[in-house]
Amino acid sequence: MTELTKTKALKDFLNNIGSTVFLLNTICVGLDRVKEEKITEYNNSLRINWSSEDPVNDSQRARIYANKATIAFTVDTLDQYIRSLVAKDNPRVFLEPQLLNDLRDNPIGERFDILITKFQPIEVYWAPFVQLLICWRNRTIHSHAKNTLSQKDIEILVENKEIIHKNHSGLDVEITLERFLNGQGPTLKDTSTMVAILIKSIRFVDSKIIENDLGKEYIIDAAACQLKFNKKDPISEIKMIWNLTRERKQKKMYNLLSHFGLLSGNTNEIVQIPLIEEVIDLELTKVLTIINRNET
């Protein structure tokens, strides 16, 4: 059964970040073996030079480095998600000029705040936690970074400490905040929690985009983008598709959108999606007008 499930931006976001917590944990499991001196030599096929005179200290330093690298990569992935939503050569999610400019031109913290505020997340503490992640990343990458968490965000996190403790494996958010405010780095648990909350937040935002913001323009743009990816000319291909019978036109469009990542499920068992059906029933001239608008 086909379903309209996610934007291309979310598909790419999840491909990049989906296994982050598992991979970080895998690194830490290996480092724990180093710490216990159960790993003292390695395979020559690794083609590296490594030895440790102080396994306890070296494994701890490597663990801190892995944490820092994870939060840097995670915030970069968030940045790419937002950029992908508003990139001029991607399907158009938002049509409001001011919103597009705001999501393109501001620092990542402000852009995330604009996006999450538009949709009001399920849990009030999600947005402050992501802002904490962004601030921690900036301090990690830029040693002289001055940005800090707002007092309002700190208050929201503290006020929700019990539900955070319940929902996130017993995390004490007050201790997490104390580490941040004292200039310390995040623990493995801090990082895992921030990454998990970011993923929940972006999944939620994307579900609301699918529910409220996608229009016929996005469906046409997505089909045209996939045709370009297939190294085909969108104009001539759409003309050819629109000359087919409606049944074959429908199958072609659902296949294109499925390959683009907008649909999940078996396109051989099509459950009609009203928005896509509206596009299929558009006159060819209207479809070409939207594609030509994107080419100018």
Side-chain angles (χ1 to χ4, degrees):
M1 183 177 74
T2 52
E3 292 181 288
L4 198 60
T5 56
K6 57 183 173 290
T7 65
K8 177 70 160 47
L10 179 62
K11 178 185 176 184
D12 294 341
F13 174 83
L14 293 176
N15 284 343
N16 283 326
I17 204 174
S19 300
T20 297
V21 172
F22 169 76
L23 296 176
L24 178 60
N25 289 344
T26 301
I27 291 170
C28 290
V29 168
L31 290 173
D32 197 55
R33 303 284 286 179
V34 171
K35 177 182 175 181
E36 295 176 358
E37 299 188 57
K38 293 180 179 177
I39 299 176
T40 56
E41 54 186 40
Y42 55 92
N43 236 317
N44 289 335
S45 61
L46 287 176
R47 298 179 182 274
I48 61 171
N49 183 21
W50 178 84
S51 65
S52 176
E53 296 180 0
D54 187 351
V56 173
N57 184 53
D58 289 344
S59 63
Q60 183 61 27
R61 288 170 57 219
R63 185 174 174 136
I64 291 169
Y65 179 83
N67 256 330
K68 289 180 176 180
T70 298
I71 64 173
F73 173 76
T74 300
V75 174
D76 183 65
T77 305
L78 168 62
D79 178 62
Q80 290 305 312
Y81 172 79
I82 297 175
R83 289 183 186 278
S84 182
L85 287 179
V86 296
K88 293 179 180 178
D89 56 349
N90 280 353
R92 303 184 185 196
V93 174
F94 305 119
L95 301 179
E96 308 97 308
Q98 187 59 54
L99 179 60
L100 288 169
N101 289 334
D102 289 344
L103 291 174
R104 285 175 182 151
D105 298 336
N106 290 301
I108 180 61
E110 293 180 31
R111 285 184 285 132
F112 173 75
D113 190 55
I114 290 165
L115 189 63
I116 200 76
T117 300
K118 178 176 171 62
F119 297 107
Q120 295 302 317
I122 297 170
E123 297 289 358
V124 69
Y125 67 83
W126 283 2
F129 241 120
V130 175
Q131 291 295 347
L132 175 61
L133 170 67
I134 293 168
C135 289
W136 232 330
R137 174 264 181 197
N138 290 344
R139 287 189 182 182
T140 299
I141 300 298
H142 309 291
S143 58
H144 301 295
K146 302 294 184 183
N147 63 313
T148 189
L149 204 58
S150 72
Q151 187 59 38
K152 180 182 177 183
D153 284 343
I154 292 172
E155 289 171 1
I156 291 172
L157 291 174
V158 172
E159 287 168 4
N160 287 270
K161 64 182 181 181
E162 291 182 8
I163 191 168
I164 292 169
H165 185 274
K166 178 182 176 182
N167 290 348
H168 301 285
S169 305
L171 182 81
D172 188 328
V173 73
E174 289 183 298
I175 294 176
T176 299
L177 287 170
E178 185 178 338
R179 270 193 290 272
F180 171 75
L181 294 171
N182 288 338
Q184 298 172 276
T187 64
L188 173 64
K189 195 169 197 176
D190 293 331
T191 300
S192 298
T193 301
M194 290 188 292
V195 172
I197 289 173
L198 173 64
I199 293 172
K200 286 177 181 289
S201 300
I202 296 305
R203 279 188 178 278
F204 172 79
V205 164
D206 210 79
S207 71
K208 290 300 179 182
I209 288 172
I210 292 290
E211 184 180 321
N212 299 315
D213 286 273
L214 293 193
K216 292 189 282 292
E217 293 87 352
Y218 184 90
I219 300 300
I220 294 166
D221 288 349
C225 281
Q226 185 59 40
L227 287 167
K228 287 181 182 177
F229 183 79
N230 295 343
K231 301 189 183 305
K232 295 182 177 180
D233 174 53
I235 299 295
S236 59
E237 286 296 314
I238 288 295
K239 286 181 178 178
M240 182 272 292
I241 291 170
W242 250 248
N243 280 328
L244 300 173
T245 63
R246 193 186 190 286
E247 183 180 354
R248 292 184 65 197
K249 186 200 307 187
Q250 182 190 58
K251 187 170 183 178
K252 285 275 189 182
M253 286 295 290
Y254 276 80
N255 279 334
L256 281 173
L257 296 170
S258 178
H259 286 300
F260 185 74
L262 189 59
L263 301 178
S264 69
N266 185 357
T267 54
N268 291 324
E269 301 174 3
I270 292 176
V271 173
Q272 294 184 357
I273 297 170
L275 181 60
I276 299 176
E277 296 300 317
E278 288 176 24
V279 169
I280 291 170
D281 288 331
L282 284 176
E283 294 179 5
L284 175 61
T285 53
K286 292 183 179 178
V287 177
L288 295 179
T289 297
I290 292 171
I291 296 175
N292 282 323
R293 175 201 64 187
N294 295 336
E295 299 297 319
T296 59

